[in-house]
């Protein structure tokens, strides 16, 4: 048996976190085939993410990305980490996002 860890965050239609899901209320599909859930836990664990941003964005697209980055930071917990990098024809290393950062 292969164990696949599938971290998820579930929100209701108002955008509020749903922290009390049970195994019976949760379903996973792979290519439209429901998968058996052998182990289900609501334990939180740290998230690590890399966000790649196209360095050639203009005007409105750039503004939309900035708003998205604010949302990403707002969704991070103090235990999470995220690294924002840029790319054009080459990869350009960036900086780690901090949960408390509010301006760009």
């Amino acid at each position: 048996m292969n164990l696949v860890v599938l971290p998820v965050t579930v929100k209701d239609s108002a955008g509020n976190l749903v922290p009390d899901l049970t195994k019976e209320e949760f379903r996973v599909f792979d290519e439209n085939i429901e998968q058996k859930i052998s182990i289900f836990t609501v334990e939180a664990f740290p998230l690590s993410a890399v966000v790649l941003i196209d360095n050639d964005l203009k005007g409105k697209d750039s503004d939309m990305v900035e708003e998205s980055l604010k949302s990403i930071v707002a969704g991070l917990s103090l235990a999470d980490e995220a690294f924002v990098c840029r790319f054009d024809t080459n990869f350009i290393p960036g900086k780690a996002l901090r949960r408390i950062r509010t301006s760009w």
Side-chain angles (χ1 to χ4, degrees):
M1 175 176 91
N2 293 328
L3 176 65
V4 176
V5 178
L6 182 63
V8 298
T9 299
V10 178
K11 295 183 179 184
D12 62 20
S13 60
N16 300 310
L17 289 176
V18 180
D20 54 354
L21 279 178
T22 65
K23 180 178 178 179
E24 291 72 30
E25 299 171 306
F26 197 83
R27 296 167 58 189
V28 176
F29 291 85
D30 182 22
E31 297 185 10
N32 293 323
I33 300 171
E34 187 168 1
Q35 303 298 304
K36 180 182 177 206
I37 300 174
S38 300
I39 301 169
F40 183 89
T41 179
V42 294
E43 293 178 45
F45 58 91
L47 171 71
S48 295
V50 174
V51 180
L52 293 173
I53 299 175
D54 186 342
N55 205 32
D56 195 29
L57 294 174
K58 305 286 189 260
K60 186 178 177 182
D61 291 334
S62 180
D63 293 342
M64 289 173 46
V65 168
E66 182 175 342
E67 289 303 311
S68 295
L69 287 174
K70 290 177 185 176
S71 296
I72 291 170
V73 171
L76 296 175
S77 75
L78 293 175
D80 296 335
E81 61 185 0
F83 197 70
V84 177
C85 303
R86 299 177 291 129
F87 71 94
D88 44 32
T89 54
N90 297 311
F91 174 77
I92 305 161
K95 295 183 179 180
L97 290 177
R98 296 286 180 237
R99 172 72 173 93
I100 57 173
R101 186 172 179 180
T102 57
S103 63
W104 302 100

